[in-house]
Amino acid sequence: MAKRKPEEPPAGSPAWMATFSDLMNLLLCFFVLLFSMSTVDAQKFELVAASFANTFSIFTAGGQAIGDGILISNGVSQLSNLDEYVQSMGKAEDSEQVINDVLEEFESQSLAASEELAEYVEEALQETDMGDDIDVSFNSQYVLLTMNGALLFDSGEAKLKDESYPMMSQIAKILERYSEGIIEVEGHTDNVPMHGAKYSNNDELSSARAISVFNYLIENTTIEPSRIKHSGRGEYIPVADNSTAEGRAMNRRVEIKIYNFYSSNY
């Protein structure tokens, strides 16, 4: 009897591989679906990214040292701390806690930056006769300069008074010297309606006053126009009671916000 030839294996991949491939595709679809259903807090992500970029210098081409500590722009001398840093991050029981810790550190550094900037501004103002006319305050985002509107403008007008130029000149010098980030000029008014005036309402008046200060800074400083914003806030953000003359006078004001390095870069 002739010997039977051995059967040749079927062409192509083994049958089990097709089943395995289908399983992998299903798993991929499942995880893509989970990812699409997840949510990300955009604001927290921006703050965390800014904190890492400014502190650890890993998101930009080359960092600048801003202080001492783990992985802060000290190059090879701190590579030995990498393992410690990674382990400290990995041991967190809750990723939300890690994010909160980073945000708290970011907030602390931002507040310290604003406080330092405010001290420089106050010292510069004390060297002039304008210290009593400009109120200086700060928070974790910016240093706030507040000027009474009566010192800058006549009633119902948005053109800077001639007497205001010495004050504006000092402010311009301070901004040129100390401002490295965004500058925002805001005009504010009281809630007294406008009647028969050049501007039909307080919104228009506050906007025009902010633009006047903006134009002065553009024309008398070397600050890039792209770094200066202006807006009219009308009567909607009072700082005092509009039912009294003193309160209304305080509400008629111009504010200049000098944003610190951290707030200007996220």
Side-chain angles (χ1 to χ4, degrees), residues 40-77:
V40 177
D41 191 322
Q43 183 177 12
K44 282 189 175 182
F45 178 80
E46 290 285 350
L47 289 174
V48 171
S51 178
F52 275 94
N54 292 329
T55 305
F56 304 137
S57 300
I58 60 175
F59 290 150
T60 56
Q64 295 179 343
I66 59 172
D68 295 326
I70 295 178
L71 302 179
I72 303 181
S73 300
N74 288 339
V76 178
S77 63

Side-chain angles (χ1 to χ4, degrees), residues 242-262:
N242 273 311
S243 64
T244 66
E246 293 80 5
R248 290 192 295 272
M250 293 178 64
N251 290 331
R252 296 189 296 269
R253 67 196 189 278
V254 172
E255 296 180 345
I256 297 180
K257 297 177 179 178
I258 311 172
Y259 286 86
N260 62 40
F261 172 83
Y262 296 93

Side-chain angles (χ1 to χ4, degrees), residues 1-260:
M1 178 183 292
K3 293 183 179 180
R4 179 185 296 180
K5 294 182 178 180
E7 294 183 1
E8 297 182 358
S13 301
W16 65 268
M17 188 171 292
T19 303
F20 181 77
S21 299
D22 290 340
L23 177 60
M24 291 299 100
N25 286 332
L26 289 174
L27 285 175
L28 175 62
C29 293
F30 175 70
F31 284 112
V32 169
L33 179 62
L34 288 179
F35 179 78
S36 66
M37 295 172 63
S38 66
T39 59
V40 177
D41 191 322
Q43 183 177 12
K44 282 189 175 182
F45 178 80
E46 290 285 350
L47 289 174
V48 171
S51 178
F52 275 94
N54 292 329
T55 305
F56 304 137
S57 300
I58 60 175
F59 290 150
T60 56
Q64 295 179 343
I66 59 172
D68 295 326
I70 295 178
L71 302 179
I72 303 181
S73 300
N74 288 339
V76 178
S77 63
Q78 289 197 350
L79 285 180
S80 59
N81 292 321
L82 178 60
D83 184 63
E84 176 186 344
Y85 173 75
V86 172
Q87 288 183 9
S88 66
M89 294 292 285
K91 290 179 181 177
E93 296 179 358
D94 187 353
S95 60
E96 186 70 21
Q97 183 61 44
V98 175
I99 293 177
N100 289 337
D101 290 343
V102 173
L103 293 179
E104 288 180 6
E105 178 64 20
F106 178 77
E107 182 81 5
S108 176
Q109 293 188 22
S110 297
L111 186 61
S114 290
E115 183 177 11
E116 183 179 16
L117 178 58
E119 291 177 355
Y120 290 144
V121 171
E122 287 181 332
E123 289 177 2
L125 289 174
Q126 292 304 322
E127 295 175 358
T128 69
D129 296 330
M130 308 296 174
D132 296 334
D133 296 327
I134 303 174
D135 182 63
V136 180
S137 59
F138 66 91
N139 59 26
S140 61
Q141 291 185 300
Y142 52 76
V143 173
L144 178 64
L145 308 183
T146 303
M147 296 161 287
N148 192 299
L151 298 175
L152 302 177
F153 308 100
D154 290 324
S155 178
E157 296 293 330
K159 180 181 178 182
L160 287 168
K161 297 193 298 186
D162 291 342
E163 306 92 279
S164 71
Y165 287 147
M167 176 187 294
M168 290 303 305
S169 176
Q170 292 300 325
I171 291 176
K173 292 177 181 177
I174 289 173
L175 294 178
E176 275 190 319
R177 186 185 308 173
Y178 297 115
S179 174
E180 297 180 354
I182 299 298
I183 299 169
E184 185 170 8
V185 180
E186 290 185 354
H188 299 265
T189 67
D190 57 28
N191 65 349
V192 177
M194 307 284 291
H195 295 292
K198 181 177 180 180
Y199 302 96
S200 60
N201 55 53
N202 286 318
D203 292 335
E204 291 184 4
L205 177 61
S206 63
S207 296
R209 288 181 170 180
I211 292 175
S212 290
V213 175
F214 168 82
N215 287 335
Y216 180 92
L217 295 177
I218 294 299
E219 295 169 1
N220 295 275
T221 70
T222 59
I223 301 172
E224 287 292 330
S226 60
R227 289 175 47 209
I228 309 178
K229 302 189 294 183
H230 58 81
S231 62
R233 310 306 300 272
E235 63 195 63
Y236 307 111
I237 312 179
V239 294
D241 188 356
N242 273 311
S243 64
T244 66
E246 293 80 5
R248 290 192 295 272
M250 293 178 64
N251 290 331
R252 296 189 296 269
R253 67 196 189 278
V254 172
E255 296 180 345
I256 297 180
K257 297 177 179 178
I258 311 172
Y259 286 86
N260 62 40

